[in-house]
């Protein structure tokens, strides 16, 4: 069982940066692949980024590639999402999620555990 809590959301101007954190409980957190998803009002939940259990492999949606960086510190049971050059279209609730691992890492249904979400609002 893994419990996830996101931190770090807020209001930022376009071009600014935020770093989201996903803190996990559970001794086996280092065994899980972790993904970040986002959901804007009236839209479906969308894949943002994912990282393998070791941190050796990372994956990004095209819309954030080159601007966002996912990383993890298994000693701290935490996964981070560094978001730079933010745009108004990045405005959404951001969720972290964990799965034992799957090639279908872009699909929300792959993930077994979810956090409650943190709001990111980017003003123009």
């Amino acid at each position: 069982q893994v419990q996830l809590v996101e931190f770090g959301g807020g209001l930022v101007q376009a071009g600014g940066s935020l770093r989201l954190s996903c803190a996990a409980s559970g001794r086996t957190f280092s065994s899980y692949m972790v993904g970040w998803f986002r959901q804007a009002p009236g839209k479906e939940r969308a894949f943002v980024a994912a990282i393998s259990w070791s941190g050796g492999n990372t994956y990004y949606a095209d819309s954030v590639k080159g601007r966002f960086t996912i990383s993890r510190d298994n000693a701290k049971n935490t996964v981070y999402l560094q978001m730079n050059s933010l745009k108004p279209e990045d405005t959404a609730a951001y969720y972290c999620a964990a799965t034992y691992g799957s090639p279908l890492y872009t699909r929300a249904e792959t993930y077994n555990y979810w956090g409650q979400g943190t709001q990111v609002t980017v003003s123009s």
Side-chain angles (χ1 to χ4, degrees):
Q1 188 80 7
V2 175
Q3 293 182 328
L4 305 172
V5 179
E6 300 95 337
F7 300 95
L11 174 64
V12 64
Q13 288 188 332
S17 298
L18 281 175
R19 188 176 81 158
L20 304 183
S21 300
C22 173
S25 63
R27 293 175 293 174
T28 61
F29 175 69
S30 59
S31 301
Y32 287 83
M33 167 176 274
V34 175
W36 284 96
F37 288 76
R38 64 188 182 186
Q39 187 167 20
K43 295 187 176 182
E44 293 186 354
R45 193 164 294 191
F47 171 75
V48 175
I51 188 166
S52 62
W53 66 271
S54 67
N57 294 295
T58 56
Y59 312 93
Y60 298 93
D62 288 342
S63 59
V64 307
K65 203 170 293 183
R67 300 189 297 124
F68 290 12
T69 302
I70 189 171
S71 62
R72 69 189 298 162
D73 185 340
N74 284 338
K76 296 182 178 180
N77 274 8
T78 303
V79 172
Y80 305 98
L81 185 69
Q82 177 67 43
M83 305 186 296
N84 298 329
S85 302
L86 283 161
K87 305 175 180 180
E89 51 264 43
D90 294 318
T91 294
Y94 283 70
Y95 300 87
C96 67
T99 178
Y100 265 125
S102 168
L104 304 177
Y105 53 82
T106 64
R107 300 176 64 173
E109 57 266 33
T110 294
Y111 294 80
N112 307 104
Y113 305 102
W114 289 83
Q116 85 290 346
T118 186
Q119 179 66 35
V120 172
T121 302
V122 184
S123 62
S124 57

